[in-house]
Amino acid sequence: MSTIPSRFQQMPDPPADPIFGLKALFNQDERPHKLDLTAGVYKDEAGRTPAMDSVAAAQQHLVAAEQTKDYLPIAGDASYCESVGDLVLPGGPAGSWFHTPSGTAALALATRLVASAGATRVWLPAPTWPNHAPIVASAGLEVATYPYGTRPEGRVEAITEALAQVRREDIVLFHLCCHNPTGSDLSAAEWEQVAGFVSDRGLTVLLDAAYIGFADRPEVDRLPVAVLADAAPELYVSTSFSKNFGLYRERVGALHIGISDAAERRRAFATASSITRTIWSNPPWLGAAIVDLILRDDERRSAWTAELDAIRGRLNSTRGAIGAAFAERGLDAVAGIDDGRGMFHVADLTPEQVKVLREDHAVYMLSSGRFNVAALLPDGVAQLADAVAAL
Ligand SMILES: Cc1ncc(COP(=O)(O)O)c(C=O)c1O
């Protein structure tokens, strides 16, 4: 092996990922009572993340019937894209969904796509998912932020005041539902207000729809997509089936390119194809085929819907249990948890307190105080509340 130093010799180590870096620390922790509330992964009553039954059955069927390992087209499986459109934006323009290997990839594609057409800046809510800013930056775009806060009071006023500075060529990102990390979403009336603002100013919107079906039924969660599709001259929607189909490791997602002029939409699509051709080239098949089969088959779809309803039910009842456990101990660090939706809540804790929770109590959460509600079983709820009470 050569002893000449490599090009990385002078380079500082990059920072650990704020979520998966902590998960790695958790994996090294040998304390038996350790509690992992870091990454957004759903756990059932037994603390496991099994494949959903409807997903496992669809997979078995597809694998048994599989005839080829030929490539999918660059823009992906057309049948899958049509099913995604029917789920997220029924009645939307045909041929407007691009198959991506995950929601992360859909966001990466959206940002590179708008950058290729002259965008220079993306507005993100503060706080937001820790991966948004790195995705925007890696597309060569500048990050700007608008206040979102952890509580709904005064939120829309603060958002619209900040977004008054948006330039016509900027992009504004919103979370569709189950806002990560706060769990606090815009109401239907607030979406109408935001849409009015978007329409008046002709803003381009990127909607991150990673949790459809986790706040409410998909038919309800998707409603703001149509509202924004009417309001925004250019709408991008990134979606993911990591959470609502539990297909995390299969990497299944899609990007909606909502441009009303058909020729411009085709040009944007062709540009998206050129971009992805140099990265993943063609998307993987199995996860997308599972989603497509389930969404098209009434029986499979009802089975999946029932499983999704049960997940949502457990998320909401766990929120109630956490709120009650904190109240019993006279703690107000999780105020508003009952009103939130989805996997996350931000506890009112300092980064130092979060560090003490990790070091002294083996409770792992993000330094922002974000913790994964879905990872808590009854014992864990008590452990978390006791640990916070001991701070
Ligand atoms: C807000 C948000 N967007 C996008 C994603 C991307 O998910 P995936 O890349 O697994 O599809 C996540 C995952 O945690 C998320 O929380």
Side-chain angles (χ1 to χ4, degrees):
M1 193 93 166
S2 167
T3 53
I4 300 170
S6 82
R7 69 194 71 239
F8 294 99
Q9 191 199 34
Q10 300 296 330
M11 208 179 122
D13 283 335
D17 182 84
I19 301 174
F20 285 98
L22 268 177
K23 209 170 164 56
L25 264 187
F26 174 86
N27 289 339
Q28 287 161 19
D29 191 329
E30 288 179 354
R31 289 172 287 183
H33 59 289
K34 64 183 179 175
L35 199 53
D36 178 11
L37 309 180
T38 59
V41 176
Y42 176 78
K43 291 197 166 54
D44 66 12
E45 287 81 358
R48 296 167 312 138
T49 308
M52 291 164 84
D53 290 342
S54 54
V55 165
Q59 170 164 327
Q60 218 168 27
H61 173 83
L62 286 162
V63 170
E66 189 182 12
Q67 302 275 334
T68 179
K69 290 287 186 192
D70 190 2
Y71 289 117
L72 289 181
I74 293 173
D77 185 301
S79 172
Y80 161 75
C81 288
E82 191 180 86
S83 291
V84 175
D86 287 345
L87 180 73
V88 182
L89 182 59
S96 62
W97 287 87
F98 198 102
H99 177 171
T100 60
S102 76
T104 302
L107 289 163
L109 173 57
T111 47
R112 280 166 173 73
L113 182 59
V114 294
S116 76
T120 55
R121 188 162 68 166
V122 179
W123 290 75
L124 301 175
T128 195
W129 180 44
N131 210 17
H132 276 147
I135 289 172
V136 170
S138 69
L141 297 167
E142 192 191 321
V143 174
T145 57
Y146 63 85
Y148 190 84
T150 53
R151 306 284 300 152
E153 295 78 26
R155 176 177 285 149
V156 174
E157 293 70 22
I159 292 176
T160 48
E161 193 185 321
L163 294 185
Q165 299 167 52
V166 174
R167 297 186 296 244
R168 180 68 186 84
E169 62 276 18
D170 291 354
I171 315 297
V172 184
L173 183 145
F174 294 102
H175 296 227
L176 174 66
C177 62
C178 304
H179 179 271
N180 178 358
T182 66
S184 173
D185 293 330
L186 297 179
S187 66
E190 288 168 337
W191 275 118
E192 291 291 347
Q193 267 177 280
V194 167
F197 183 84
V198 163
S199 164
D200 289 347
R201 304 200 173 225
L203 302 183
T204 297
V205 170
L206 170 55
L207 195 55
D208 185 342
Y211 294 94
I212 290 181
F214 265 43
D216 206 320
R217 291 177 300 115
E219 295 73 15
V220 175
D221 280 349
R222 72 185 178 202
L223 291 173
V225 184
V227 173
L228 285 169
D230 282 343
E234 229 174 296
L235 173 70
Y236 299 88
V237 184
S238 60
T239 199
S240 163
F241 296 103
S242 291
K243 322 286 172 166
N244 49 13
F245 279 75
L247 282 165
Y248 308 90
R249 64 170 61 177
E250 295 295 347
R251 316 307 293 137
V252 197
L255 177 68
H256 168 68
I257 301 176
I259 296 175
S260 47
D261 182 275
E264 291 169 24
R265 189 167 69 247
R266 264 197 303 278
R267 189 171 306 136
F269 234 78
T271 309
S273 297
S274 308
I275 293 169
T276 60
R277 178 74 175 114
T278 64
I279 314 175
W280 60 81
S281 184
N282 313 65
W285 168 76
L286 181 59
I290 291 170
V291 170
D292 188 29
L293 177 63
I294 291 176
L295 291 179
R296 283 176 188 275
D297 177 310
D298 288 347
E299 210 172 301
R300 292 183 193 276
R301 189 172 176 139
S302 333
W304 165 69
T305 302
E307 289 185 273
L308 188 58
D309 289 348
I311 288 176
R312 203 167 51 244
R314 198 181 104 64
L315 287 173
N316 291 339
S317 63
T318 305
R319 283 179 178 276
I322 297 167
F326 274 64
E328 271 165 30
R329 291 160 179 79
L331 302 168
D332 57 6
V334 295
I337 193 163
D338 267 333
D339 305 327
R341 287 292 173 271
M343 294 225 228
F344 303 112
H345 186 77
V346 180
D348 189 9
L349 298 169
T350 63
E352 290 70 36
Q353 288 175 313
V354 169
K355 192 161 172 255
V356 174
L357 286 180
R358 183 170 70 243
E359 291 178 352
D360 295 357
H361 302 276
V363 174
Y364 285 70
M365 61 174 71
L366 306 199
S367 62
S368 61
R370 185 195 94 166
F371 65 95
N372 178 10
V373 170
L376 281 165
L377 305 178
D379 283 357
V381 170
Q383 184 185 342
L384 172 66
D386 285 341
V388 172
L391 285 172

